[in-house]
Amino acid sequence: MSKLIYYVAATMDGYIATKNHELGWLYDCPPGDDATPYDEFYQNIGATIMGAGTYEWIMENAAGEWPYQNIPSFINSFWSKIALKLSLQVVTQ
């Protein structure tokens, strides 16, 4: 059976983004000594699950190619048409 690991950077009060949906604060906070390095974490995952806002932020801010090319990525959204910038298959139910 697979396991789900929730890997996220959040403020002490549980927020991931600012009220303006910005993530710039992440660059001002170095990871703690107990944080798992992302490259090490990435080597052990089989898929990603993210919201549409996170997907769009990655597409606007990631340098180069989509960082999850070798694994399935599931983008959750309330929008019926998300602005996909990759050739991804969209499944709705």
Side-chain angles (χ1 to χ4, degrees):
M1 173 185 263
S2 297
K3 64 180 176 178
L4 176 68
I5 300 171
Y6 183 63
Y7 187 91
V8 67
T11 62
M12 293 296 288
D13 54 0
Y15 289 97
I16 298 171
T18 67
K19 290 180 182 180
N20 296 328
H21 307 287
E22 296 172 351
L23 299 172
W25 66 272
L26 290 169
Y27 299 110
D28 298 332
C29 302
D33 293 336
D34 61 341
T36 302
Y38 188 77
D39 290 338
E40 178 184 327
F41 170 76
Y42 180 75
Q43 297 302 317
N44 295 303
I45 60 175
T48 63
I49 303 169
M50 67 186 74
T54 300
Y55 164 78
E56 290 185 348
W57 187 90
I58 290 171
M59 294 307 296
E60 291 173 10
N61 294 281
E65 300 176 342
W66 176 245
Y68 307 109
Q69 290 186 29
N70 300 322
I71 57 173
S73 294
F74 300 90
I75 315 301
N76 298 310
S77 176
F78 290 110
W79 306 318
S80 60
K81 292 185 180 181
I82 184 171
L84 293 175
K85 296 172 180 71
L86 302 169
S87 61
L88 300 175
Q89 181 178 5
V90 178
V91 178
T92 58
Q93 301 226 18

